[in-house]
Amino acid sequence: MTITDKTKRVLLQLAFWAGLLALWQGLASAYGPEVLPGPAQTARGGWELLADGTLPSYIGISFTRVLLGWSLGSLIAIPLGLLIGRVGAIRAFAEPFLNFIRFIPPIAFITLFLIWFGIGETSKVMLILYATLFIVLLNTLTGVLSVEEDRIRSARSMGASDWQIVRHVVVPATVPYMFTGIRLAMGTSFMAIIGAEMIASNEGVGYLIWNSRLFFRTDWIFVGLISLGLMGFVTDRAVALLGRKLLGRYGVVSTGSLRR
């Protein structure tokens, strides 16, 4: 019987995860559960948090914050990127500022955002918005500046207005850059919300990870870390699938479509 490439890939993935679990268990046995809980202990800790409703509630709260801030940041960044990319006078002033502020991590603004927006949801959403904004904006700007000048001249020679050039030439050519920025910003958004929840929240996955240290529950910390990984993985795959379905005609492809 011939083993297909898909079957080989599945077997290799299963072998990888089995090896990873075996290594995890081996390290847990060597260092002890207080330092490194094993897979079984982590699963029991996860069941505890699932049974009392803590884990689903915290995942929902963190995901809502991320989704709101990430969506708002992307919606603001895309038109700003198009505007800065198309208007040279604005770009001359904005580009140095963007290249300066993008190196300041979102975590550095937590204290200021708490002072400006309070300890409620607004400060956390604004922090994620900041984490998203500059990544999407710079990717959009890069896409606009990478549009071939010949395409713009061709459209203008056919009588297209500036608005028509942006709509029918610049935006379609920039969509893959926008989409890449949106996907990259999702990862930064998760990092931002975890930092905010560790410092200024009494709920969420970041709070779970930070608060577990008080009870010496390293298994709960691992549950939080695994939950973050699964949240990010599922969200990224969903965004990639939507991008491929809705934006495939613009050259957007998901990771899965690159497989051979």
Side-chain angles (χ1 to χ4, degrees), residues 86 147-170:
R86 290 298 299 160
V147 178
E148 297 89 345
E149 191 63 29
D150 289 344
R151 298 176 65 180
I152 296 175
R153 289 195 188 114
S154 298
R156 185 169 284 118
S157 68
M158 296 174 67
S161 63
D162 288 340
W163 167 245
Q164 289 173 325
I165 290 172
V166 170
R167 181 180 175 185
H168 298 291
V169 178
V170 176

Side-chain angles (χ1 to χ4, degrees), residues 8-52:
K8 289 180 182 179
R9 186 163 58 245
V10 171
L11 291 174
L12 286 173
Q13 289 175 348
L14 290 175
F16 170 77
W17 287 108
L20 189 62
L21 287 174
L23 177 62
W24 181 5
Q25 182 59 56
L27 291 173
S29 300
Y31 289 100
E34 296 81 7
V35 176
L36 181 62
Q41 184 182 355
T42 301
R44 286 194 296 270
W47 178 251
E48 290 178 31
L49 296 171
L50 281 171
D52 64 11

Side-chain angles (χ1 to χ4, degrees), residues 67-235:
L67 186 61
L68 184 57
W70 172 72
S71 300
L72 290 173
S74 299
L75 289 173
I76 295 171
I78 288 174
L80 277 179
L82 292 170
L83 178 65
I84 295 171
R86 290 298 299 160
V87 182
I90 297 178
R91 186 166 64 253
F93 289 99
E95 207 164 17
F97 172 74
L98 293 175
N99 286 319
F100 166 78
I101 199 169
R102 71 188 179 93
F103 289 105
I104 304 177
I107 301 300
F109 281 99
I110 289 180
T111 304
L112 281 176
F113 279 27
L114 289 174
I115 294 172
W116 292 344
F117 304 109
I119 62 173
E121 295 299 305
T122 304
S123 59
K124 300 171 184 61
V125 172
M126 292 300 295
L127 189 70
I128 299 168
L129 188 153
Y130 170 84
T132 300
L133 182 69
F134 294 101
I135 295 176
V136 179
L137 194 156
L138 286 169
N139 273 270
T140 303
L141 175 60
T142 301
V144 174
L145 296 178
S146 68
V147 178
E148 297 89 345
E149 191 63 29
D150 289 344
R151 298 176 65 180
I152 296 175
R153 289 195 188 114
S154 298
R156 185 169 284 118
S157 68
M158 296 174 67
S161 63
D162 288 340
W163 167 245
Q164 289 173 325
I165 290 172
V166 170
R167 181 180 175 185
H168 298 291
V169 178
V170 176
V171 170
T174 309
V175 165
Y177 293 86
M178 298 176 188
F179 188 73
T180 299
I182 287 170
R183 288 186 69 181
L184 291 174
M186 175 61 73
T188 308
S189 297
F190 274 102
M191 288 189 283
I193 191 57
I194 294 309
E197 289 178 345
M198 283 182 173
I199 296 173
S201 182
N202 58 3
E203 52 192 2
V205 178
Y207 171 77
L208 171 65
I209 293 172
W210 184 249
N211 199 49
S212 297
R213 82 195 194 285
L214 301 176
F215 305 98
F216 299 100
R217 294 297 301 264
T218 51
D219 54 338
W220 287 359
I221 295 175
F222 269 72
V223 171
L225 295 174
I226 293 170
S227 298
L228 281 175
L230 289 174
M231 288 165 63
F233 177 81
V234 171
T235 305

